[in-house]
Amino acid sequence: MKLKSIIDIKNLNQYFGKKTLRTQILFDINLTIKYGEIVIMTGPSGSGKTTLLTLIGGLRSVQEGSLEFLGRELHGASNEQLVKVRRHIGYIFQAHNLLDFLTARQNVQMSLELHKNISESEACSKSEAMLEAVKLGNRANYYPHDLSGGQKQRVAIARALVSHPKLVLADEPTAALDSKSGRDIVNLMQQLAKEQNCAILMVTHDNRILDVADRIIHMEDGQLAPHN
């Protein structure tokens, strides 16, 4: 049986703090994301977007409700199970989070180290091929301080996609870029996602890139609503 959806969330609630200090931050979230789909999530700061992203990404434990990833329930999952989930997910953040002491290729190759079945030489060639795909083949041996903001973000995309994840989570990936670089980055993510048939869930405040979405959802006060 082929799964139609990568993510299936039902009646998800999430809280910060304990006992009398406990505050609810997500309220009755229901969301399905299908293979190859690009979903953009908008909403004001502090509305719960990043919290939802970290739950989907297996970076935080689900407290109430159901969150299925690739047909596996994450509510009640152990740390070990969450680590396995993270192997199927690529992460792209506003700050590219590259390690300054590693070259572009080494930064990309890092995300293959979770995959024990890939040899060092194979990881190296996969990383170089991915940098070619993001048009940085000639910068493979450059360190981050020798790259522009847009180039660093392209390295981050290569790192997120090199292991052929089923899902890419992107948190404000264009926020630090000018409009042309931002558009290039989003077009690249769209193209590579379609080629690999992976889904993208992107949080953004950048109205200039909303047109790449198959669907737009809006988060307000911890609740999801369709985009108007």
Side-chain angles (χ1 to χ4, degrees):
M1 180 185 93
K2 180 152 171 39
L3 286 168
K4 289 197 175 70
S5 57
I6 288 184
I7 294 289
D8 199 2
I9 300 174
K10 292 190 179 76
N11 311 119
L12 180 75
N13 295 295
Q14 195 76 6
Y15 306 85
F16 273 158
K18 294 206 164 65
K19 295 187 179 170
T20 54
L21 296 176
R22 194 164 90 143
T23 307
Q24 189 164 356
I25 41 170
L26 294 179
F27 297 81
D28 199 30
I29 302 292
N30 291 279
L31 176 65
T32 300
I33 299 175
K34 299 185 175 71
Y35 278 85
E37 188 177 31
I38 297 178
V39 179
I40 283 183
M41 181 160 48
T42 62
S45 295
S47 59
K49 303 185 303 297
T50 299
T51 299
L52 182 56
L53 225 58
T54 56
L55 285 165
I56 291 171
L59 299 169
R60 193 189 293 265
S61 295
V62 176
Q63 293 171 340
E64 270 181 28
S66 171
L67 196 168
E68 287 189 3
F69 177 76
L70 299 176
R72 289 185 194 152
E73 178 58 66
L74 298 194
H75 186 180
S78 66
N79 278 341
E80 196 178 335
Q81 288 166 321
L82 292 177
V83 168
K84 286 181 181 166
V85 162
R86 295 200 284 269
R87 289 179 189 161
H88 298 287
I89 299 175
Y91 304 89
I92 304 168
F93 300 103
Q94 174 181 341
H96 42 75
N97 292 343
L98 301 182
L99 294 174
D100 290 334
F101 55 88
L102 297 180
T103 63
R105 178 187 58 74
Q106 289 168 329
N107 267 289
V108 173
Q109 197 169 324
M110 271 186 68
S111 72
L112 292 172
E113 287 174 7
L114 286 169
H115 301 262
K116 303 299 179 206
N117 56 334
I118 297 176
S119 70
E120 176 95 12
S121 60
E122 191 187 351
C124 184
S125 57
K126 276 178 182 285
S127 302
E128 286 173 357
M130 200 69 221
L131 284 169
E132 287 286 350
V134 299
K135 302 181 175 57
L136 282 179
N138 61 340
R139 298 281 192 276
N141 294 317
Y142 281 49
Y143 288 89
H145 57 77
D146 293 321
L147 300 172
S148 70
Q151 288 172 334
K152 287 175 191 172
Q153 200 60 307
R154 278 192 270 161
V155 175
I157 289 174
R159 180 181 58 191
L161 288 166
V162 70
S163 58
H164 286 250
K166 301 288 190 290
L167 174 68
V168 171
L169 298 175
D171 197 357
E172 300 281 6
T174 64
L177 304 174
D178 61 66
S179 57
K180 184 186 183 308
S181 300
R183 168 53 66 180
D184 290 347
I185 290 300
V186 169
N187 288 347
L188 193 59
M189 286 170 65
Q190 184 182 34
Q191 174 203 333
L192 294 171
K194 293 297 180 201
E195 285 172 11
Q196 296 189 9
N197 195 34
C198 77
I200 293 180
L201 175 59
M202 188 189 319
V203 166
T204 188
H205 285 106
D206 190 346
N207 291 330
R208 299 166 301 188
I209 61 173
L210 298 182
D211 58 303
V212 302
D214 296 308
R215 185 158 49 107
I216 298 173
I217 55 178
H218 186 74
M219 179 82 85
E220 187 97 32
D221 298 327
Q223 296 177 297
L224 270 188
H227 181 77
N228 295 326

